[in-house]
Amino acid sequence: MKIGIVLGSVREGRAGESVARWVLDGARAHGGADFELIDLKFFNLPVLDGAYLPIMANKRYANAIVQAWSNAIDGCDAFVIVTPEYNHSVPGALKNAVDHLGGEWNGKPVAFVGYGADGAVRAVEHWRQIFGNFDAKVIRAQLSINIFAEMGENGFTPNERRAGELDGLLDSLIANAG
Ligand SMILES: Cc1cc2nc3c(=O)[nH]c(=O)nc-3n(C[C@H](O)[C@H](O)[C@H](O)COP(=O)(O)O)c2cc1C
């Protein structure tokens, strides 16, 4: 079983990188699956402007960048989405990336690690609706990381609850993917 940890911010100096790397390390320590970091910034996806609905593309895309993104997502059985909150919702670059695909997401379990001033809870609620359109199995357990308390000059310093929360999230994600 392969679980993709999707790093959903592409900003220069993004906080998400240290959060996603902590998730990857924690996931590998947890075990029970193969884990891969899928960094959205690596793909540099264009804005979705094709004439056809992605769900109709049958996972075959004219644009090589989109095809590489499709292959990365299609190769995973489940996902941990590491997401910031922008303007009380999901970050646009990641929403665009999600919109580019169709069947690659369908029916797969998805869990969320949010980070923000209020733990990105509004963004994660919106993601739950969005992934509902793919019949994804959205996992109840989530991490709501407070950037003021847990992000500082030394990067991400998770509070003592986080490791246990991540283990619980992964237990649920893996059980639903099995
Ligand atoms: C366009 C934009 C909108 C933001 N809106 C919110 C918000 O609604 N809620 C929040 O908690 N933080 C918000 N922030 C602050 C982010 O939580 C903070 O910048 C965080 O570092 C973003 O993650 P990133 O650095 O990985 O992109 C916003 C940041 C940006 C760039």
Side-chain angles (χ1 to χ4, degrees):
M1 179 190 305
K2 188 160 143 192
I3 295 180
I5 295 166
V6 179
L7 167 45
S9 169
V10 298
R11 285 195 324 119
E12 219 172 282
R14 58 203 170 153
E17 187 158 353
S18 56
V19 177
R21 294 209 172 275
W22 174 82
V23 171
L24 180 65
D25 290 346
R28 288 189 171 149
H30 178 281
D34 293 329
F35 297 94
E36 183 183 311
L37 185 64
I38 299 176
D39 184 351
L40 191 54
K41 195 175 175 72
F42 168 81
F43 293 92
N44 198 19
L45 282 161
V47 171
L48 174 67
D49 65 357
Y52 297 100
L53 296 184
I55 198 79
M56 308 300 280
N58 215 13
K59 304 179 187 176
R60 289 285 163 265
Y61 303 91
N63 184 310
I65 295 173
V66 179
Q67 189 63 58
W69 169 242
S70 163
N71 294 346
I73 297 304
D74 203 40
C76 294
D77 303 295
F79 304 95
V80 179
I81 306 288
V82 179
T83 181
E85 176 176 285
Y86 292 167
N87 295 315
H88 290 190
S89 189
V90 301
L94 184 54
K95 176 61 162 60
N96 177 62
V98 168
D99 289 346
H100 263 294
L101 308 182
E104 296 88 339
W105 301 112
N106 267 359
K108 295 179 182 175
V110 182
F112 303 95
V113 172
Y115 56 95
D118 298 304
V121 291
R122 291 163 293 231
V124 169
E125 285 305 306
H126 293 170
W127 280 127
R128 291 180 182 282
Q129 289 190 329
I130 291 161
F131 276 96
N133 192 45
F134 298 108
D135 270 337
K137 296 183 195 167
V138 286
I139 302 300
R140 181 178 185 276
Q142 69 186 65
L143 269 66
S144 305
I145 292 162
N146 184 302
I147 49 170
F148 294 128
E150 299 171 79
M151 203 78 72
E153 283 173 9
N154 300 324
F156 179 43
T157 49
N159 72 34
E160 71 281 358
R161 295 200 321 270
R162 298 301 178 208
E165 288 178 353
L166 182 62
D167 281 339
L169 177 151
L170 292 168
D171 287 344
S172 183
L173 188 66
I174 290 167
N176 276 280

